[in-house]
Amino acid sequence: MEGQLKIERREVLKEKPDFSRLGFGQYFTDHMLIIDYKEGKGWHDARIVPYAPITLDPAAMVFHYGQTVFEGLKAFKTTDNRVLLFRPEKNFARLNRSNDRLTIPQIDEEQVLEALKALISLEKDWIPTEPGTSLYIRPFIIATEPCLGVRASHEYKLMVILSPVGAYYAEGLEPVHINVESKYVRAVRGGTGAAKTAGNYASSIKAQVEAKESGYSQVLWLDGIEQRYIEEVGSMNVFFKIDGQVLTPELNGSILDGVTRDSIITLLKEWGIPVVERKLSIEELHEAYQNGTFEEAFGTGTAAVISPIGELNWLNHKMIINDGKIGELSQKLYDTITGIQTGKLADPFHWVVEVN
Amino acid sequence: MEGQLKIERREVLKEKPDFSRLGFGQYFTDHMLIIDYKEGKGWHDARIVPYAPITLDPAAMVFHYGQTVFEGLKAFKTTDNRVLLFRPEKNFARLNRSNDRLTIPQIDEEQVLEALKALISLEKDWIPTEPGTSLYIRPFIIATEPCLGVRASHEYKLMVILSPVGAYYAEGLEPVHINVESKYVRAVRGGTGAAKTAGNYASSIKAQVEAKESGYSQVLWLDGIEQRYIEEVGSMNVFFKIDGQVLTPELNGSILDGVTRDSIITLLKEWGIPVVERKLSIEELHEAYQNGTFEEAFGTGTAAVISPIGELNWLNHKMIINDGKIGELSQKLYDTITGIQTGKLADPFHWVVEVN
Ligand SMILES: Cc1ncc(COP(=O)(O)O)c(C=O)c1O
Ligand SMILES: Cc1ncc(COP(=O)(O)O)c(C=O)c1O
């Protein structure tokens, strides 16, 4: 990325929303980061500008062929007013892996992270401090060249927008009820499941709508080939505690390599709790349930951090997990990760990065 | 859709490009059609306005979660200056099937077709008349609500843009060389393969880039489960003539129900040529090749109409089809369909729809 980061400040700042009723991704801060790409010129013209609508040709390739990737991470404010990011370098590394799958040019991870820090620093009054709240950070790249041929675009826009958010699930840390999806498929090996790209989410909405109609808040995806092996939930990886051991699907190329997932595996190892990444079938889970060894289940992701699963419905089998209450381990993981993220707990793994 | 179609004409018309060097999807006409959707209000405010960039919030859901669908059809000008559309009702019916899969609200197919006709009528000077050229019509719908929650948008924009196009393949009717894709997967049952939605194309670009690097212009997709059964090519369905019989993959839920495909099946039946829609493995194709019964292969789609396949590369097996030359049946189908489309041949199936 050539050149200096330019900053154009908004003259009149927006009125801030009620920080006690934020919801998720509904309010946006005063400024945003934009970096342009053009073939032959590379990434250029990094700038922080007032948050405003963008203007695109109706033939911009993102509208037609979905060449786009995104990330999601968070900034937190500590009680002594320091601003912390949680493992941001992992998000930018993953953004580049997504870029590779979508044939979008690689970004300079360090330079974009520096530009992001400048943006956060400018917007630090937008970081809410209530428990469970944070400033959600959404970097994304879209193909902007106006052309209807199906091929990689020669022009892109990287943008970062910021949104103060409450807890992701309306119910808070209340255990969620999840339906095991037996009809729709999210991803298959050789596809884009391991990339954070729009199409994966577009294809998931219908399953989610149908799950909601049956009283479930999310779906648990099974693999695309045999529709037996557990993959992940909506925008979370998934963990199960069975007979004292923690199990999570291995990174098989069709699920996302979650930053929260990695953090949890690290913590569990540190704590001496056995954790295994492997193929895991829904039948195996159901057997454990029938044997009485299915102890806890939870989803993990940036938005919710930990989302305990109180009920899993697989065809006509209802599995009520831990009496529908949050498990001890789920709670401890939540407390530890959010404690580290907000600077309340020590950070032995050097996960947090301070914004000056 | 409530209300009347409003028309705002451009004051100064654009200069037209050189119609002998159009390429595909690079030039756009003077006007476009826009129809808005808002929950509670439905589709509304249908209007023809000057072609111009559109303005969207950076949080518009299409950028993040890819909730979008599109169509592609063509308008032709006859030698006596009539303007013809080819089976447009099938495209709008398919748009609604795509809408259903992507949980986008249904459109009123007839009203949108009427609005499209008004747009085409306004732009009829943009329809090129050289053989192989036409006015390509791109209807598309994008989710516009600014919100980062993963769910169906409450706001959409339907747009139709028009682009005068030359022949889709630079090589014209020259047979193309195609690589059978053994690594990447485009779609799987339960996914979005049968819908015309951005994510399907985004995921295909990398395979296409790698095919190009090996000297092939497109890839032939295999099924997502066994990676053995033939699906389709880039933006074409695919047909094979083997031992006097024409074979094409059945509509299995992961390939597109092509309008050209349907037209070809209809013509073949009319001509008394046996045509079978069924599962077809790449091994079977290769066996036919070795037996000397593999007579012709061609892709079919709106953009190219018929694209003869001269060479298929499957792992290390090269299949040269009909000596790399266009087959007799491929040529006859091309001549018949383009003849009907351009009003040069009689239209026994009532496929063409005149724009007044
Ligand atoms: C499909 C999917 N899986 C898993 C995750 C969890 O990843 P992370 O922990 O990095 O937020 C997300 C959210 O980012 C996701 O979208
Ligand atoms: C994936 C795919 N398959 C097949 C086709 C051919 O369909 P049609 O004949 O309706 O253009 C297209 C193009 O529209 C396509 O995008």
Side-chain angles (χ1 to χ4, degrees), chain A residues 21-233:
Chain A
R21 309 177 63 209
L22 288 170
F24 185 85
Q26 299 188 53
Y27 301 100
F28 298 93
T29 68
D30 288 302
H31 300 87
M32 61 187 182
L33 171 68
I34 307 184
I35 310 178
D36 293 322
Y37 179 91
K38 203 179 171 92
E39 205 172 72
K41 202 168 172 185
W43 291 104
H44 65 278
D45 200 11
R47 58 202 187 273
I48 289 170
V49 294
Y51 186 96
I54 54 170
T55 288
L56 289 176
D57 196 286
M61 294 173 98
V62 63
F63 296 135
H64 304 271
Y65 308 125
Q67 216 196 344
T68 172
V69 294
F70 69 96
E71 270 303 327
L73 66 162
K74 285 176 168 177
F76 304 88
K77 200 181 269 179
T78 66
T79 46
D80 57 345
N81 271 319
R82 291 178 306 128
V83 174
L84 304 179
L85 298 173
F86 187 70
R87 311 187 76 185
E89 68 290 349
K90 284 193 84 71
N91 293 92
F92 289 107
R94 188 169 66 190
L95 189 61
N96 263 340
R97 294 199 300 278
S98 299
N99 279 339
D100 178 61
R101 181 62 183 84
L102 276 294
T103 63
I104 294 175
Q106 297 285 299
I107 59 161
D108 183 323
E109 298 168 24
E110 275 178 42
Q111 285 187 21
V112 177
L113 178 52
E114 285 312 305
L116 169 66
K117 286 183 188 167
L119 176 66
I120 304 272
S121 167
L122 190 65
E123 303 290 61
K124 58 177 178 295
D125 292 346
W126 281 92
I127 309 176
T129 52
E130 292 296 300
T133 66
S134 60
L135 186 67
Y136 183 76
I137 302 165
R138 168 57 56 89
F140 63 107
I141 301 178
I142 54 177
T144 54
E145 186 186 354
C147 175
L148 298 184
V150 181
R151 58 159 173 79
S153 175
H154 300 138
E155 294 165 28
Y156 301 88
K157 237 182 215 332
L158 178 156
M159 305 184 65
V160 181
I161 57 178
L162 306 176
S163 173
V165 297
Y168 193 74
Y169 292 99
E171 308 106 302
L173 251 193
E174 279 303 294
V176 292
H177 293 192
I178 287 187
N179 188 50
V180 180
E181 179 59 52
S182 304
K183 183 165 122 202
Y184 298 108
V185 166
R186 176 188 172 274
V188 66
R189 60 90 186 75
T192 55
K196 221 165 152 63
T197 184
N200 295 339
Y201 300 82
S203 75
S204 77
I205 297 175
K206 194 170 170 71
Q208 216 179 281
V209 167
E210 294 183 8
K212 287 240 163 90
E213 284 167 1
S214 315
Y216 298 93
S217 63
Q218 293 273 338
V219 304
L220 177 65
W221 296 107
L222 300 179
D223 77 284
I225 299 172
E226 300 185 48
Q227 293 185 289
R228 280 182 62 195
Y229 296 101
I230 288 161
E231 297 245 314
E232 57 186 333
V233 173

Side-chain angles (χ1 to χ4, degrees), chain A residues 51 54 56-57 185 189-190 224, chain B residues 51 54 56-57 185 189 224-225:
Chain A
Y51 186 96
I54 54 170
L56 289 176
D57 196 286
V185 166
R189 60 90 186 75
Chain B
Y51 186 97
I54 54 172
L56 290 176
D57 195 287
V185 166
R189 60 89 188 75
I225 299 171

Side-chain angles (χ1 to χ4, degrees), chain A residues 184 202-203 205-206, chain B residues 43 66-72 90-107 109 139-141 156 186 191-201 253 255-258:
Chain A
Y184 298 108
S203 75
I205 297 175
K206 194 170 170 71
Chain B
W43 291 105
Q67 214 196 347
T68 172
V69 294
F70 69 97
E71 269 303 325
K90 284 192 84 71
N91 293 91
F92 289 108
R94 188 170 65 190
L95 189 62
N96 262 341
R97 293 199 301 279
S98 299
N99 280 339
D100 178 61
R101 181 62 183 85
L102 276 293
T103 62
I104 294 174
Q106 297 285 299
I107 58 160
E109 297 167 26
F140 63 107
I141 301 177
Y156 301 87
R186 176 188 172 274
T192 56
K196 222 165 152 62
T197 183
N200 295 339
Y201 300 82
I255 67 171
L256 200 75
D257 179 359

